[in-house]
Amino acid sequence: MRESANKCSAANGSARRAVMALSRHDQGRFCSFRRKRRSTRLATVIGSVVALLLSSAGAHAVADGRSSLAAQAVGQQFYALDWNIAGATTHDGNPNQPNNYGSLAVVDRLASFASAWRPSVISVNEACDSQIDYLRERLADAGIQVQAWKFNQTQLSPACVLSGGSYAGNALLSMVPASDPADIYFDEDTGHIVSGRTSRGGACMTLHLTQNVRTCSFHLAQSHPAAVIEAQQFVATYGSDIAAHPYLLLGDFNATPNELLGTMYDPSAGGSGPFYEADMDSPNHGIPTEAGGKLDYAFVSSGHFARNALGTAIVDPGICRVENAFEPPWWVLYPHPCSDHKAIVASVTLGGSGLGNAGSR
């Protein structure tokens, strides 16, 4: 069985190691799945494109309504789109949970959100590297040029291998000029920032807007207390830079606003941290984005962004029709929630007291 698995995953060493992580029973199913999946992928992609074209009239109506603001994306006001797509999740047979395992239907949905809102930056959590490659292609097809991007590898994923990828992680894509890509990783035991790859981290770049904005896409620890410690470690490590320069932090922080209040939120929101949050003036500091409450955020450094110009749209992910990961028949497209998280679109405006150019970091 191992010899067969090695042959069907011979594209690269990472893929072979991920297949070995499967049970012996699933290794054989993986080989059969991969052969069948190659023949069905084109039909799946064509169907997704047709679905997007059918819905494009409504999407463009939304985009056209914001065209004047979107045109200012290289100025002071801009949109940031963030979504945990549950891209490596497998839930065969459970219609109430996402079942993406590296599939493309959820990426098509994300591309449609981007087409509607025309954000300057997109943050993606729980994504396969192959999904981000496909997202860049879909955005280009929609006339959205990704000028810079960073993928933050967190763990080798058998679910990603099922669709030709290797790693799951976080991604940051910029539609404006950007530089200085970097990874952030948190130690799984202490929450401290470390140099080696771990299962939790973030992708960072500096966006070149009217000021340079250091921007990161995070997916913090699943345990709420551990996630708060990781947020505290980031603020403690970069506190002086956050005070001096514009920062935008996006992603799934896996903690509620009440739990993050003292670490992240500005005193004007009842906290003791250095950030505004785009939805902090809603009841309970934000509309829930997941069953556990509000877990997905757009934080901006309070010294560099306008307090009275924050806005958030909460976007329901809808239903994606996908093949099963392991349970046949593979040619049937089953309905699942596209993700267990809602997407957020934050509108933020550079301003505040810190108006000096941030410089390249």
Side-chain angles (χ1 to χ4, degrees), residues 91-341:
H91 288 106
D92 283 10
N94 186 345
N96 298 314
Q97 292 292 328
N99 194 38
N100 291 316
Y101 62 88
S103 71
L104 303 180
V106 67
V107 185
D108 288 325
R109 186 61 51 86
L110 175 55
S112 72
F113 294 163
S115 295
W117 288 90
R118 301 283 164 161
S120 293
V121 63
I122 299 174
S123 160
V124 193
N125 302 132
E126 289 191 32
C128 295
D129 45 13
S130 52
Q131 290 172 319
I132 298 306
D133 291 340
Y134 178 70
L135 175 61
R136 291 163 56 219
E137 295 172 3
R138 287 304 317 275
L139 293 175
D141 292 341
I144 300 173
Q145 183 61 46
V146 177
Q147 298 200 34
W149 65 287
K150 179 74 178 80
F151 185 78
N152 169 241
Q153 299 177 347
T154 55
Q155 52 194 331
L156 194 65
S157 170
C160 295
V161 172
L162 288 173
S163 292
S166 297
Y167 283 91
N170 308 291
L172 193 65
L173 299 91
S174 177
M175 274 52 70
V176 301
S179 63
D180 305 319
D183 291 304
I184 295 284
Y185 290 109
F186 298 98
D187 184 88
E188 293 159 355
D189 295 321
T190 66
H192 292 181
I193 295 174
V194 293
S195 57
R197 185 171 62 235
T198 69
S199 65
R200 299 292 164 169
C204 301
M205 291 189 298
T206 298
L207 309 185
H208 302 305
L209 298 157
T210 53
Q211 299 176 66
N212 292 338
V213 180
R214 191 61 174 169
T215 305
C216 298
S217 170
F218 284 124
H219 190 196
L220 301 188
Q222 188 169 5
S223 160
H224 287 211
V228 172
I229 291 173
E230 291 174 352
Q232 290 171 342
Q233 288 298 313
F234 183 83
V235 171
T237 302
Y238 294 98
S240 60
D241 204 47
I242 293 168
H245 306 300
Y247 266 71
L248 167 64
L249 306 183
L250 304 163
D252 177 1
F253 279 66
N254 264 325
T256 64
N258 183 59
E259 293 167 323
L260 291 169
L261 197 62
T263 300
M264 301 296 293
Y265 285 81
D266 182 80
S268 68
S272 54
F275 294 99
Y276 299 140
E277 203 282 318
D279 202 26
M280 68 183 189
D281 291 325
S282 294
N284 301 314
H285 297 295
I287 298 171
T289 59
E290 195 261 356
K294 178 176 172 61
L295 303 180
D296 305 273
Y297 296 86
F299 288 108
V300 292
S301 51
S302 57
H304 305 89
F305 285 82
R307 173 68 177 81
N308 61 351
L310 301 169
T312 301
I314 307 299
V315 185
D316 191 279
I319 297 298
C320 289
R321 302 192 70 89
V322 297
E323 307 161 37
N324 275 340
F326 294 110
E327 298 176 9
W330 296 281
W331 57 87
V332 176
L333 298 180
Y334 296 92
H336 289 265
C338 289
S339 175
D340 52 348
H341 287 253

